[in-house]
Amino acid sequence: MGKQLITGVKIWRNGNFQNENLLLSDGVIEAFMPCDKEVEAQVLDFSGCVLMPGLMDVHVHLREPGFSYKEEIATGTKAAAHGGYTLVCSMPNLSPTPDSVEHLAEQLDLIRENAVIRVVPYGCITVGQKGEELSDFEGMASQVAGFSDDGKGVQEEDMMRAAMERAKACGKMIVAHCEVNDLLKGGYIHDGVYAKEHGHRGICSESEWVQIERDLKLAKEIGCSYHVCHISTKESVELIRKAKVDGVDVTCETAPHYLVLCDEDLEEDGRFKMNPPLRSAEDRDALIAGIMDGTVDMIATDHAPHSAEEKGKGLEKSAMGVVGIETAFPVMYTEFVRKNRMEFAKLMELMYENPNRRFGFGQELKVGEKANFTIFDLDACEVVEPETFLSKGRSTPFAGRTVYGVCRMTVADGKTAYLGGKNN
């Protein structure tokens, strides 16, 4: 690989864009250099672009092992690199579920063989995600980002209390999908305007926030580190806001689709169906307020690929889940930064700094470290065309939308994971 000099970029570090070049030596950052300083190296000119730390997504579904027809670790991580990510955390709704050292090993082997960026898996909270018996927390702790039954809420309070106690003892976080099964009542979109006008069965907001309320009380009681997945309701935001003031060790995430869309944007198409669903405009605005005041800590995608057949059955019968890892940064940049609703620094806080700090990933742009960065042309725009995705999934509510921010290169762990329209 030798020495490479990346020129023409503005580099995001120390909270600002710096006019400087980046010198790499065999994938390791050797120096940040003045633009007029010459050095013997292969020159990679990205004039007009920005270079920033690799993005981090703490909530993706890579579907392997068990469901490779939906996505593979290879395709999912290539898609992530195309989206500017150098690290993702993979959810445990797999087959076998990672609820033991043996089952986790199957996933880790596939990651080592096929991932083009860093993948840190979650271990299950309960065996088989069935909510009946705790997984092997102690055996898996050193190899997972935390413990989650994502896709399913832990229904029994005593089970969640025991899980938090075990997680605390292991020094790991509980990462919770919050959903009360008894409140779902067969719903599949938000119980709001669109559902009432079009005769669909709705999912009430209480199904999310009631379980968050329970878990926050437990987290305070036990002192466990607690992270809430994909919050979507105004009540969830307010509960977490108050819990933070109260000293609870809690963070949370939301996804771009909950910040940009609401149930009034729904169409009779499976690409608008996910769990939790698109909520009301009032909920969307509360999430935005939560991001701006620090209640909502990070943007995750909940990248959830399915086959075309599974997503082609309309709102009622399509599978829950949309893809988002290739569109998240451009959508957020376009809708918030370009429209002067958010500073670029805030976007980097949400998509890099906070997940890095909270989960202790340690990927930083600094001399002596392996390179983990992405390069975007923020002035270039393109139309979201799902057929061009590197993910196997094609179902996105942002199809046809014009967005700014085109990824030109992603380097993960010192190796090129994406370059100019292709993966290496």
Side-chain angles (χ1 to χ4, degrees):
M1 187 181 294
K3 291 185 184 291
Q4 296 175 311
L5 186 68
I6 297 177
T7 66
V9 294
K10 292 181 178 179
I11 300 178
W12 182 263
R13 62 191 190 104
N14 303 322
N16 288 288
F17 282 116
Q18 315 281 337
N19 287 308
E20 55 192 0
N21 294 336
L22 179 64
L23 180 63
L24 305 177
S25 179
D26 294 326
V28 174
I29 296 175
E30 183 170 318
F32 297 93
M33 302 181 62
C35 295
D36 58 359
K37 186 172 182 179
E38 295 184 4
V39 64
E40 191 70 31
Q42 176 193 8
V43 175
L44 302 176
D45 184 6
F46 287 94
S47 292
C49 295
V50 299
L51 185 154
M52 53 201 188
L55 305 177
M56 299 181 183
D57 189 347
V58 302
H59 193 139
V60 305
H61 298 267
L62 296 181
R63 304 301 194 198
E64 218 178 7
F67 305 96
S68 56
Y69 72 94
K70 299 175 187 277
E71 187 78 288
E72 300 167 15
I73 288 167
T75 58
T77 56
K78 287 176 181 178
H82 179 215
Y85 291 88
T86 56
L87 188 150
V88 298
C89 297
S90 58
M91 286 300 176
N93 50 342
L94 304 168
S95 182
T97 54
D99 50 20
S100 67
V101 173
E102 181 183 14
H103 288 167
L104 178 63
E106 291 189 39
Q107 187 183 2
L108 291 172
D109 286 344
L110 289 166
I111 290 168
R112 279 189 289 269
E113 292 169 11
N114 300 302
V116 302
I117 65 169
R118 185 179 173 194
V119 177
V120 186
Y122 288 103
C124 292
I125 294 175
T126 63
V127 174
Q129 297 180 292
K130 296 178 180 178
E132 299 170 355
E133 177 186 356
L134 289 180
S135 297
D136 181 5
F137 279 43
E138 293 81 7
M140 295 188 289
S142 65
Q143 300 182 87
V144 298
F147 293 96
S148 180
D149 269 1
D150 183 60
K152 299 179 180 179
V154 176
Q155 300 303 302
E156 299 300 325
E157 181 172 333
D158 286 346
M159 183 62 67
M160 181 55 93
R161 176 181 284 107
M164 287 187 175
E165 289 170 347
R166 291 272 287 277
K168 181 184 179 184
C170 294
K172 286 292 179 179
M173 205 173 345
I174 290 292
V175 178
H177 172 116
C178 290
E179 187 171 47
V180 180
N181 291 347
D182 288 346
L183 296 177
L184 296 178
K185 303 184 187 305
Y188 47 87
I189 63 171
H190 177 58
D191 186 18
V193 174
Y194 192 92
K196 291 176 175 62
E197 290 181 352
H198 294 82
H200 289 293
R201 293 190 300 278
I203 300 174
C204 66
S205 295
E206 287 86 349
S207 64
E208 174 179 301
W209 66 258
V210 164
Q211 200 165 95
I212 292 175
E213 186 175 45
R214 178 202 72 182
D215 286 359
L216 289 170
K217 291 176 182 176
L218 290 174
K220 181 180 181 182
E221 170 193 326
I222 295 161
C224 171
S225 295
Y226 177 64
H227 178 81
V228 193
C229 295
H230 47 47
I231 68 166
S232 67
T233 74
K234 62 182 185 293
E235 293 90 351
S236 301
V237 176
E238 187 57 28
L239 283 166
I240 293 166
R241 182 180 286 122
K242 289 179 178 177
K244 288 187 172 188
V245 172
D246 200 26
V248 179
D249 183 5
V250 59
T251 52
C252 66
E253 69 193 45
T254 194
H257 41 270
Y258 302 122
L259 299 169
V260 176
L261 304 171
C262 67
D263 70 328
E264 295 171 46
D265 298 306
L266 286 170
E267 298 176 17
E268 294 296 311
D269 191 317
R271 69 190 179 93
F272 289 90
K273 186 178 183 183
M274 72 288 291
N275 189 27
L278 295 175
R279 302 287 187 182
S280 69
E282 190 178 0
D283 290 308
R284 177 199 60 201
D285 293 346
L287 288 166
I288 293 170
I291 273 179
M292 298 313 296
D293 72 11
T295 301
V296 181
D297 301 271
M298 59 195 80
I299 300 295
T301 65
D302 194 7
H303 175 80
H306 295 288
S307 70
E309 180 182 1
E310 289 169 326
K311 291 300 292 181
K313 300 177 181 178
L315 273 182
E316 181 180 357
K317 296 183 179 180
S318 289
M320 293 277 199
V322 295
V323 296
I325 207 157
E326 294 176 81
T327 57
F329 180 82
V331 165
M332 289 300 300
Y333 177 74
T334 301
E335 294 299 321
F336 289 93
V337 180
R338 278 187 67 90
K339 294 182 179 180
N340 295 316
R341 300 164 71 193
M342 178 187 294
E343 296 292 330
F344 191 87
K346 182 65 174 180
L347 185 57
M348 289 304 295
E349 181 182 302
L350 292 164
M351 299 188 77
Y352 162 70
E353 292 170 18
N354 286 351
N356 194 33
R357 184 182 305 115
R358 177 60 163 168
F359 285 80
F361 292 134
Q363 290 196 356
E364 297 180 42
L365 267 186
K366 63 181 182 181
V367 172
E369 297 288 335
K370 285 189 176 180
N372 288 282
F373 64 80
T374 185
I375 298 175
F376 272 84
D377 185 341
L378 297 179
D379 295 322
C381 67
E382 59 187 4
V383 176
V384 176
E385 297 179 347
E387 60 270 19
T388 68
F389 287 169
L390 300 182
S391 169
K392 283 187 172 184
R394 297 286 184 268
S395 191
T396 169
F398 297 120
R401 185 178 289 249
T402 298
V403 293
Y404 283 81
V406 176
C407 185
R408 301 302 189 197
M409 185 185 200
T410 299
V411 172
D413 200 29
K415 299 176 182 177
T416 303
Y418 178 83
L419 178 61
K422 63 182 180 179
N423 284 91
N424 287 2

